[in-house]
Amino acid sequence: MSMDEKARPVRSGGRAGRIAKGLMQALVPTERTIVTREGLGYFLVMLVLLAAGMLQQINLILLVATTAAGPFVASWFGSRAMLRRLSVIRRSPGYVFAGDPLVVDYTLENGRRRMAALAVFVEDQLVSAERGATGAALSPRSFFPRVAARDRARNRWQGEPPRRGKYRFQNLDLGTRSPFGIVERRVTLPMPEPLYIYPRIGRLTRRWFQLQRQTSENRLGRRHDRSAQQEEYHGLRDYRSGDSPRWIHWRTSARRGELMVKEFEQQNEQDLAILIDPWLPRTKVSPQQREAVEQAISFAATVCLETCRRQGRRLVMGWTGSTPGVIQGPASVKLLHELLEQLAVLRPVNEGGVAELLDALPSATVRDALLIVASTRPINLMEEAERSTRVNAASARNLAGRVLAFNAAQGELDGLIQFAEADTRNLLEQRVSNAEADRMSSQEERRRGLFSGEPEDSGVIIEETVKSDGPPAWRAWRGGRS
């Protein structure tokens, strides 16, 4: 935003407009002149010289005292001129994951033709957007020693973000102490901008995928080996510890320089519901209990991220409280950010329970979906189902076989999630881009006939036919026969 644009509002004609403008500047000042600590010392020395000259009637001391007033006058008008025709741009991320550095770029542009901008600083303010929050969470500051005329300079500020939540950048102060450092001139620029601090994201371990697979098999009422013939080839993903070497896709691994394994999708993949119970007692809350709440929220965020990597599955997230909340929709990147924004502002509660949350869930979710409960207290699912007004005895028995309940306060989530040392934002972007690349790669391989369980030279030819009123269809020939 340009300083001239801020200083020149819409012109209003006549004396009334000038009076209104003066009143607004007096009530809400956007420009301030502050005498610095060095300036106060300089002013006191000048007063002492002036008093000594007056008392002793020494003209030389009086001349030095009056000459010392020159830098004050020069600083007063020079600092005002230094900030003219300057514009500053803030580039901040829309979201940051907890534990990752917060990076904000500030660009200062000098629109003057001849005069350079010297010793200009930018002070920003990041405050919490929650109710009852007071004070600044962070105060980023950037210093520009010199910006030539008709030029621009960019500085990057990096610091630790505040805790998980919703924040907003408020007014930005542009100031200088040039030329002598005894007077500081500041101009306030209104530049509001929101910022979400998402929960910390980790990696789900192999134990989690085994538990999820066993629960899905129990729902189907059978236990069998998930071979390539029983699952549909979906795409590629990063190699995880414990994956079978038979799943490694060597061609893609050689191209990317890292191990990539084939990922299969169950044909009868059910919807997923994540229920969070961030309970804390009213009094005597220990740091371990607060850490358990954060671990449960991070686990839910990681599961949401892994689920939203692939489309086609419906995801439901609910949380307990005085008024239970539910967010649902098909798995997508848009839904992922909606869930992470809700998890960012989710706070511990001491009322409400899983029974009320079951009443708020959609009927199809309670009937068929795989439920994951992450809580900070012991939960008896059968008792919670009996307290619910929408779940009968038969549905409660069916529900018990489709629920994975974890108590974070007892460390039941420790072996299910691992936190990576890499930047979580880069990890998210990498996973989303890898998911898109894997989808394109899988489509290309389907055209070439590279299905899992069949060698590449099996003579399978894939042809894609597109209908005007429907999605693409796939036909396969073996040996030239359809």
Side-chain angles (χ1 to χ4, degrees), residues 314-375:
R314 190 169 186 82
L315 180 61
V316 180
M317 188 186 75
W319 58 94
T320 60
S322 57
T323 303
V326 176
I327 297 179
Q328 59 177 326
S332 61
V333 177
K334 180 181 178 181
L335 176 65
L336 174 61
H337 283 283
E338 292 180 1
L339 299 177
L340 292 178
E341 289 179 2
Q342 177 58 43
L343 291 174
V345 299
L346 187 62
R347 295 296 171 226
V349 295
N350 49 35
E351 54 185 348
V354 179
E356 292 79 3
L357 182 55
L358 291 176
D359 293 337
L361 292 177
S363 302
T365 301
V366 179
R367 183 176 62 252
D368 298 324
L370 172 63
L371 273 66
I372 303 171
V373 182
S375 179

Side-chain angles (χ1 to χ4, degrees), residues 435-466:
E436 182 67 18
D438 295 344
R439 184 181 67 84
M440 300 300 295
S441 177
S442 63
Q443 290 181 357
E444 182 66 23
E445 290 179 356
R446 289 185 183 186
R447 294 188 182 96
R448 297 178 180 177
L450 300 181
F451 284 93
S452 60
E454 296 185 11
E456 296 182 9
D457 55 352
S458 60
V460 180
I461 303 176
I462 303 299
E463 179 186 2
E464 180 182 4
T465 59
V466 182

Side-chain angles (χ1 to χ4, degrees), residues 22 153 177 187 198 258 261 274 278 283 291 312 353 367 375 422 442 458 471-472:
R177 293 186 177 185
V187 177
Y198 286 167
E258 58 181 351
V261 296
I274 305 173
T283 58
E291 182 63 26
R367 183 176 62 252
S375 179
S442 63
S458 60

Side-chain angles (χ1 to χ4, degrees), residues 398-450:
N398 182 27
L399 185 65
R402 294 182 286 107
V403 174
L404 290 173
F406 305 100
N407 187 354
Q410 296 181 356
E412 295 181 1
L413 294 176
D414 294 341
L416 303 179
I417 183 175
Q418 295 178 349
F419 294 102
E421 298 180 357
D423 193 322
T424 312
R425 183 184 180 94
N426 295 335
L427 182 63
L428 172 61
E429 295 176 353
Q430 179 183 2
R431 289 182 180 180
V432 173
S433 61
N434 285 348
E436 182 67 18
D438 295 344
R439 184 181 67 84
M440 300 300 295
S441 177
S442 63
Q443 290 181 357
E444 182 66 23
E445 290 179 356
R446 289 185 183 186
R447 294 188 182 96
R448 297 178 180 177
L450 300 181

